[in-house]
Amino acid sequence: MATHSVEVVYRGIFQKTLAKNITRGIVLAAVKQGKIGIAFGRYGDSPERNGIPAKNFAIVADNEEELQASMAQYEPKSVDLTVALDDTLCKGVESWAWYGLQPINRLTRPGGYLLVTTMLDFADLLQMAHAREQPYHLALVRGLPSFSGLWVYKDDHTDVRVLGAVSRLLPDLVSLEAVEAAIRQEWKSEQKVASARKAYERVEVMAVAPGVGDRRRPYEFELPRWWELREGVTIPAIVPGEAFPDPTTGAVGGWRPARNPYFKKFSTRTMRPVIDFEACIKCTLCWLQCPDSCFDVTPDGYYDANMEACCGCGVCEAVCPVDNCITMVNEAAFTNNDSQWAAWKRDREAYRAWVREKIQHRPERSHGFQQRGQYERQIREMAAAAVGGPAVRERTGG
Amino acid sequence: MAEAIATTPLPTLEPFKGVKKVPLGEYFTSGHRTCQGCESALVMRLMVKAAGPRTIVLGSTGCMYVANTTYYSTSWVVPWMHTQLGSSGSAGLGTAAALRALMRKGKLPTEPINVIAFCGDGGGADMGLSAISAALTHTEYNFLILLYDNESYANTDIQLSGLTPYGAHTTFSPPGTAKRILHQRWKKNVAGMLAAGHPSCRYVATVCASYAVEMMNRVRKALSIGGPTFIHSLDPCPKGWDYDPMLSHELGELAVECGIWPLYEVEDHKLKLYGRTKGIAQGRSKRRPVRDYLVRQGRFAHFTDDDIDYFQAKVDEMWERWIIPGVIPFASEITNGRSPD
């Protein structure tokens, strides 16, 4: 089979340009080797929304007939390589085009590769990624996941570093020389060529045995067919919601809104709010200003962010008037969506320790554009700390 | 038998006296597929929270239709129906007329039912302007038209609309080397236009969801005053404005504090500035420089200092030369007993 396919799973809008650069770069490099290919975004992911996972594909074949044979489909059934541009995508993907949670490695062919841009270790990623029945490889490109926005692109070389790693993992798809030639043509930057080469040398690979990973079953559900819908193609509204009992006292109160059962939104999250209920002054602002209505009002008057509904925008932290009452923490530091308030009610001492431990994982806010000049500063800092960014010449000697 | 009714009965909606008095019920809930930090989704939520459960919502095409109601999935608790891009005015009017007819014929109990038609800036200020204008002249029907303005056609990946601000980067106005500023037109003043042009409309207001309680109280007033009413809301959009979603709330505040987005209401022909805008007009607080607002958004990242100065000069002009700051963009020779400048 001389057709290769690569999928790039990315955070909508934040990584739109980055994903386009990668799939385009793969095809341009393949063309340098006399092959033919096409890069495209998945139709159903458009219009993209900030943070909601989306996909781009690169399909490369030896000749046009073979390419045509692989083109008449919405998305490939299996890919040689899955690229996850944000490590928290390993928890699974719930895109526009899908109802339910897709494992990140769902399309990765047996023996294929899952490539992640991350600062985490293999073990951390395998705790997140769903287990599968066939073996595959997990590969890492070291670096902070790169986030920018729709207009201003943060050129921290993540695009060419991924391209360099691709040529290492799939030498039959593109050679490093072809990648370098494509970079020279497209970006006219020797520094970017150096970054690609460095990533080629440094990519880390591990074989993942069947059954290794998160063994929980990703949730799914059956949607009715259009001919099964009610008269006028109407659908039932969400019910209002209800008060609920306090697990310790049994007193019923507060309010838990009912929620759309078919879309959970939590796979959109790269960070989640960690709430210190003892610092909370019950000012209501997090609950009032949350665009996703994700706060349950508890019977004792606190606000508990429901982790099925929270998409991690960070507005609650921004509007909270108390220092360190709400802290956005890297999503990679969590393994479940359990209620923080219930945990606090169960054991306050343990909860205090849990909050202290979690807020160590305060992420670098690579969540889009905050201030002019910010990307230039971040790229300088990343290069200096060797967490991605342009390849800096290694210091030699003392 | 029901008696003939001239108009449907109006609800009594007292203003919420502070955040602690805001009801807990949600009528637009979780599970919509909007961006992280989407202020327009917050506007929907607060709008219908203010209106309460006896409400029908009509949504014209845009983010708040597409993202909230993908196949077999909704986040609405109240009845909601989609209407075409330019027809929020027609849909609001038609629904209110249908309710009146059904109540007159005794097919529905005679009770207050709120009708809210929402539209985006593309659907409201560009395509649907004529339908909204026509609807605002039908004084015998009670409904609210709420324009949620994220300053572009955001659903289809950010095309320029009549409400896109000067110089903003959109897919129709990318800054380039030959032309740095491709969009040179100034934003339309929709609320002022509709208030001035429809003397029989009893309530027109501008709101911003960063001031949630004040916003909800404007919605409650619009729904309980009677006749067709209009509210224009400015919603920061993380996707099109290109900023970190956690800044949504802050950018709404900045738009008001910089004087770019004046908050006012025209109630029975009486204009009232409110909130921070009132403080600025009375000299109790200073307008912040627009630079604070512009440098936080990627859509203005190509602005030079001259561009920022031009933007500032235009906003200054609005405050210093308009007969009513931010509302009526001309000076007048007729003073009507007011002291001339």
Side-chain angles (χ1 to χ4, degrees):
Chain A
M1 179 77 177
T3 303
H4 284 90
S5 51
V6 176
E7 65 169 346
V8 176
V9 190
Y10 63 99
R11 295 277 172 203
I13 302 294
F14 290 128
Q15 299 180 314
K16 185 183 174 126
T17 312
L18 175 63
K20 185 196 74 182
N21 286 356
I22 291 167
T23 49
R24 200 160 170 264
I26 289 172
V27 172
L28 288 172
V31 168
K32 294 277 177 209
Q33 290 179 267
K35 299 181 185 181
I36 179 168
I38 183 164
F40 59 98
R42 186 168 58 174
Y43 171 77
D45 291 337
S46 181
E48 280 177 26
R49 312 285 178 194
N50 282 59
I52 295 189
K55 284 185 182 185
N56 271 5
F57 297 96
I59 315 278
V60 170
D62 284 345
N63 55 54
E64 192 167 351
E65 290 70 29
E66 277 184 30
L67 183 67
Q68 293 284 0
S70 335
M71 271 309 303
Q73 51 189 342
Y74 175 69
E75 66 176 4
K77 297 243 176 334
S78 110
V79 295
D80 301 284
L81 168 66
T82 299
V83 180
L85 290 179
D86 176 27
D87 45 26
T88 53
L89 287 165
C90 291
K91 290 190 170 195
V93 169
E94 190 184 25
S95 61
W96 266 87
W98 194 272
Y99 289 75
L101 196 68
Q102 298 172 63
I104 186 71
N105 47 25
R106 191 178 65 96
L107 297 183
T108 317
R109 70 163 166 78
Y113 292 88
L114 167 62
L115 175 69
V116 188
T117 56
T118 185
M119 292 304 289
L120 300 172
D121 296 327
F122 285 114
D124 299 325
L125 295 172
L126 286 172
Q127 206 171 24
M128 291 194 245
H130 288 89
R132 357 181 318 153
E133 288 164 12
Q134 305 89 4
Y136 69 104
H137 298 90
L138 181 57
L140 312 182
V141 171
R142 288 284 168 214
L144 289 171
S146 174
F147 280 58
S148 33
L150 196 54
W151 309 129
V152 189
Y153 181 52
K154 179 170 157 188
D155 190 3
D156 56 13
H157 293 203
T158 298
D159 42 18
V160 295
R161 283 186 291 125
V162 170
L163 288 174
V166 169
S167 64
R168 173 74 177 275
L169 300 175
L170 300 177
D172 297 347
L173 168 64
V174 283
S175 65
L176 179 62
E177 292 70 32
V179 163
E180 289 180 3
I183 293 171
R184 285 194 180 97
Q185 175 195 314
E186 186 67 11
W187 285 288
K188 299 175 184 63
S189 159
E190 284 307 312
Q191 211 187 9
K192 290 194 88 144
V193 171
S195 287
R197 206 175 303 135
K198 193 146 278 182
Y200 174 91
E201 290 157 10
R202 291 183 178 179
V203 61
E204 300 167 38
V205 187
M206 148 185 193
V208 183
V212 174
D214 182 353
R215 303 184 69 95
R216 284 174 299 185
R217 195 191 161 95
Y219 73 86
E220 57 187 342
F221 38 74
E222 279 295 306
L223 285 172
R225 306 290 178 214
W226 62 266
W227 61 85
E228 294 170 336
L229 293 181
R230 308 191 316 193
E231 191 182 351
V233 203
T234 56
I235 62 169
I238 308 290
V239 296
E242 58 192 7
F244 58 102
D246 186 315
T248 46
T249 64
V252 175
W255 191 259
R256 177 176 288 147
R259 298 185 158 99
N260 178 355
Y262 300 111
F263 190 60
K264 303 287 189 195
K265 211 169 180 178
F266 62 80
S267 77
T268 302
R269 216 165 41 222
T270 57
M271 305 184 269
R272 71 167 63 176
V274 165
I275 302 169
D276 181 352
F277 293 98
E278 281 157 38
C280 173
I281 55 168
K282 301 186 181 182
C283 75
T284 77
L285 287 180
C286 58
W287 164 78
L288 191 64
Q289 295 289 346
C290 173
D292 284 271
S293 328
C294 83
F295 285 87
D296 295 345
V297 186
T298 66
D300 49 0
Y302 289 98
Y303 298 91
D304 182 25
N306 182 299
M307 285 301 134
E308 298 256 298
C310 167
C311 67
C313 69
V315 167
C316 51
E317 185 196 48
V319 299
C320 179
V322 183
D323 284 345
N324 297 331
C325 173
I326 301 185
T327 312
M328 296 305 287
V329 170
N330 193 334
E331 180 62 24
F334 304 88
T335 54
N336 61 43
N337 286 335
D338 297 353
S339 159
Q340 296 179 18
W341 172 76
W344 178 64
K345 297 296 275 190
R346 263 197 314 274
D347 183 347
R348 296 196 175 198
E349 198 51 54
Y351 186 78
R352 264 192 289 261
W354 182 84
V355 169
R356 268 199 304 276
E357 189 259 316
K358 289 300 175 197
I359 61 179
Q360 305 304 312
H361 300 276
R362 227 175 271 231
E364 160 65 29
R365 293 310 160 99
S366 52
H367 216 206
F369 189 94
Q370 290 191 333
Q371 189 84 30
R372 201 188 279 200
Q374 159 206 359
Y375 289 164
E376 293 79 353
R377 179 180 52 78
Q378 281 177 331
I379 290 168
R380 275 198 308 274
E381 287 168 1
M382 286 164 72
V387 290
V392 278
R393 195 164 300 138
E394 307 282 317
R395 292 221 182 115
T396 47
Chain B
M1 274 308 289
E3 300 148 38
I5 51 170
T7 65
T8 51
L10 287 167
T12 310
L13 298 170
E14 294 296 329
F16 299 138
K17 298 218 175 345
V19 283
K20 302 280 188 193
K21 299 282 185 258
V22 175
L24 299 185
E26 303 290 356
Y27 307 107
F28 172 82
T29 172
S30 311
H32 45 78
R33 304 181 184 218
T34 57
C35 292
Q36 293 173 333
C38 173
E39 282 289 282
S40 297
L42 181 65
V43 165
M44 294 295 121
R45 177 182 162 222
L46 297 175
M47 166 188 94
V48 71
K49 189 188 268 287
R54 303 301 288 163
T55 301
I56 295 173
V57 182
L58 308 144
S60 72
T61 312
C63 275
M64 291 303 104
Y65 150 55
V66 175
N68 298 336
T69 52
T70 40
Y71 181 70
Y72 204 74
S73 122
T74 184
S75 40
W76 290 98
V77 173
V78 294
W80 176 91
M81 188 188 80
H82 167 236
T83 184
Q84 280 307 330
L85 227 172
S87 60
S88 56
S90 324
L93 179 62
T95 305
L99 285 175
R100 191 179 82 158
L102 289 167
M103 287 178 193
R104 193 182 65 231
K105 293 174 180 175
K107 293 189 175 184
L108 277 183
T110 302
E111 61 160 327
I113 294 179
N114 303 310
V115 177
I116 305 178
F118 67 73
C119 48
D121 49 303
D126 287 359
M127 295 180 214
L129 195 59
S130 60
I132 291 171
S133 172
L136 292 183
T137 61
H138 285 268
T139 52
E140 66 274 38
Y141 302 111
N142 306 323
F143 58 95
L144 162 66
I145 295 169
L146 186 136
L147 192 160
Y148 70 93
D149 173 9
N150 47 28
E151 303 196 319
S152 74
Y153 290 82
N155 180 52
T156 44
D157 282 347
I158 321 299
Q159 287 79 26
L160 193 148
S161 85
L163 296 188
T164 302
Y166 169 87
H169 187 157
T170 68
T171 49
F172 286 2
S173 58
T177 42
K179 238 181 152 44
R180 193 182 62 254
I181 302 286
L182 211 54
H183 177 47
Q184 305 219 352
R185 296 177 281 133
W186 201 252
K187 184 180 168 110
K188 281 192 226 178
N189 175 13
V190 177
M193 173 194 344
L194 293 176
H198 304 81
S200 52
C201 166
R202 295 186 57 194
Y203 192 76
V204 171
T206 61
V207 298
C208 172
S210 298
Y211 304 96
V213 174
E214 286 178 323
M215 180 218 148
M216 286 191 279
N217 288 344
R218 300 296 166 303
V219 171
R220 285 169 80 79
K221 198 180 287 182
L223 290 168
S224 54
I225 200 167
T229 52
F230 178 84
I231 289 181
H232 187 171
S233 162
L234 181 78
D235 309 356
C237 166
K239 175 179 165 183
W241 298 17
D242 188 1
Y243 62 81
D244 181 332
M246 72 181 314
L247 298 178
S248 279
H249 177 84
E250 188 186 338
L251 280 167
E253 287 180 340
L254 276 170
V256 174
E257 288 174 5
C258 297
I260 294 168
W261 186 246
L263 297 172
Y264 61 89
E265 56 186 353
V266 183
E267 184 183 349
D268 282 328
H269 306 143
K270 193 168 166 44
L271 174 91
K272 278 185 272 192
L273 304 179
Y274 72 90
R276 185 57 61 96
T277 305
K278 186 175 175 181
I280 293 170
Q282 294 175 340
R284 280 185 286 114
S285 55
K286 271 182 71 77
R287 261 189 298 132
R288 287 180 65 161
V290 298
R291 172 182 288 272
D292 295 358
Y293 176 74
L294 299 178
V295 298
R296 280 176 168 78
Q297 301 172 49
R299 62 175 175 164
F300 299 120
H302 56 287
F303 270 28
T304 61
D305 285 350
D306 284 353
D307 299 329
I308 294 176
D309 289 345
Y310 174 77
F311 205 105
Q312 183 70 62
K314 289 286 284 183
V315 173
D316 289 349
E317 185 184 313
M318 181 166 92
W319 280 89
E320 289 156 15
R321 299 185 55 90
W322 291 22
I323 190 168
I324 303 168
V327 190
I328 309 289
F330 40 77
S332 167
E333 290 184 349
I334 307 164
T335 55
N336 279 342
R338 280 195 307 274
S339 59
D341 294 339

